[in-house]
Amino acid sequence: MSQYFADLQPITFEGRDSTNPLAFRHYDATAMLGDRTMAEHLRFAVCYWHNFVWDGSDPFGGQTFDRPWFPADTMDQARQKADAAFEMFRILGVPYFCFHDHDVRPEGDTLAESHERLNEIADYFEQKMEDGGQKLLWGTANMFSNRRYMSGAATNPDPDVFAYCASTVKACMDVTHRLHGENYVLWGGREGYESLLNTDLDRELEQMGRFLSMVVEYKHKIGFKGAILIEPKPQEPTKHQYDYDVATVYGFLKRFGLEDEVKVNVEQGHAILAGHSFEHELAMARTLGIFGSIDMNRNDYQSGWDTDQFPNSPGEAALAYYEVLRAGGFTTGGTNFDAKLRRQSLDAEDLIAAHVGGMDICARGLISAHAMIEDDALEGPRRVRYAGWEGEAAQAMLAKGATLDGIAADAEARDVNPQPVSGAQEKLENIVNRYL
Ligand code: XLS
Ligand code: NI
Ligand code: NI
């Protein structure tokens, strides 16, 4: 067992009045909210990479964290890291975790050796998952850190990189399947360009479409029942990423006939980078029928980078979970903290405190969102606003067979003269604030 979190005890729910910084004030895992427990609604996951791999470096400075398993380039260190990770999952009481191949084992000298090592660590995980009851929310491949991916993964000008990616994703899907992962995620950090001057856009999009189609075919071939998820992000690391936002991803899926096969993992910080709100991206995913899962980490609103901070705004969390609930809640998806500490937060306890706070904010948001839905607080006024469309004549305008000139003739005959009605945004904002 890991000694990393030596004297930290499992976190418990103490209620709103608790002043204990290492207790939940809102997240009461087994409390019912409608037909599900809070744990079932939220389906929390801890990510491996930011917590156990990242060393605190930023573009201007190196390592600040001192973890006993660093530099993690041997399998022994990989196991030590896994021990600490599962110890943290246990302390937090989170049901799920997520990882990239690159996070959990050092890369081998050959593809075969890399896959062997991945499988060896998966064996180690399997035992720990059985002992601790944690499950895999999603697996994924890191096809952005190594310099071989600098010009793209599936969109690389070099076909050997495409082949390398096929082998890597196959291995990661196999391991995800073996560990009963509930989703498989593709985030295309290098699937984009730095300069159009050296980029063949036509080819790259075609390559990406073929690659994803083969991923979907392989999923069916091995009988993986989880969802394939794309994680949109507009830029960072590349200047322009093809999976810009939810709507762009949907258009791409449509083009390759994959809209019923692939969903999205929406990240709050990525939504902001794309110039949207998180709730916009979630609502868009819902209405397009591709809502899958969320990465619940925000950005700093001043710096404009993907700073991957833990959520800490009750208002933002409430509006996000409102959209999650409107989408019917999670099925295979969940709430992943793709979030990292600030680089000055050096202690093991900081890792725990960050997640406790993040989980609590999400729970608080969920409770508010659930109450707004129960009370019809927003849907009521929304229905009233669109009530005119429930009338027979209004519906007929949208029905098949209606024509522009037919409607025009009717409008002219009735001499329609629409009277503007208040959108009442401030009243609605006041309503939301009452629930926070
Ligand atoms: C990076 C992404 C990444 C994905 C997984 O910005 O959020 O962490 O979630 O590859
Ligand atoms: Ni991100
Ligand atoms: Ni992410």
Side-chain angles (χ1 to χ4, degrees), residues 49-50 187 231-233 236 267-270 273 295 297 299 306-308 338:
W49 51 101
H50 290 317
W187 170 63
E231 186 174 318
K233 185 177 181 181
E236 253 189 71
E267 179 165 314
Q268 182 182 13
H270 298 182
L273 284 178
D295 273 5
N297 40 286
N299 288 358
D306 187 14
T307 53
D308 288 330
D338 184 358

Side-chain angles (χ1 to χ4, degrees), residues 122-277:
D123 293 340
Y124 200 59
F125 281 0
E126 215 162 27
Q127 189 57 53
K128 287 182 173 294
M129 290 163 76
E130 206 181 302
D131 295 346
Q134 294 88 359
K135 294 182 282 183
L136 179 60
L137 186 65
W138 44 268
T140 187
N142 177 329
M143 300 197 297
F144 44 88
S145 295
N146 192 288
R147 67 196 286 271
R148 79 173 66 85
Y149 303 118
M150 69 178 191
S151 311
T155 61
N156 203 290
D158 179 353
D160 271 356
V161 177
F162 187 93
Y164 196 101
C165 291
S167 172
T168 301
V169 169
K170 178 193 172 292
C172 290
M173 287 177 76
D174 286 344
V175 154
T176 301
H177 185 38
R178 168 146 83 90
L179 296 177
H180 306 288
E182 302 194 17
N183 307 270
Y184 184 81
V185 166
L186 294 125
W187 170 63
R190 303 281 174 194
E191 310 291 35
Y193 60 79
E194 300 298 333
S195 168
L196 257 190
L197 297 177
N198 64 7
T199 302
D200 187 337
L201 205 64
D202 311 41
R203 269 184 202 278
E204 294 203 358
L205 290 174
E206 194 61 38
Q207 284 169 218
M208 210 163 93
R210 277 304 296 146
F211 194 86
L212 186 59
S213 303
M214 289 189 279
V215 165
V216 167
E217 279 161 28
Y218 188 66
K219 162 194 153 152
H220 292 301
K221 195 180 214 168
I222 61 176
F224 177 61
K225 294 279 172 279
I228 303 288
L229 306 176
I230 287 191
E231 186 174 318
K233 185 177 181 181
Q235 73 271 101
E236 253 189 71
T238 62
K239 173 189 148 58
H240 177 94
Q241 268 153 233
Y242 298 132
D243 295 329
Y244 198 92
D245 61 2
V246 169
T248 310
V249 166
Y250 184 74
F252 174 81
L253 295 177
K254 269 293 229 201
R255 175 177 169 195
F256 291 95
L258 296 171
E259 70 273 20
D260 296 330
E261 294 281 3
V262 178
K263 295 177 178 165
V264 282
N265 179 39
V266 186
E267 179 165 314
Q268 182 182 13
H270 298 182
I272 306 299
L273 284 178
H276 301 306
S277 65

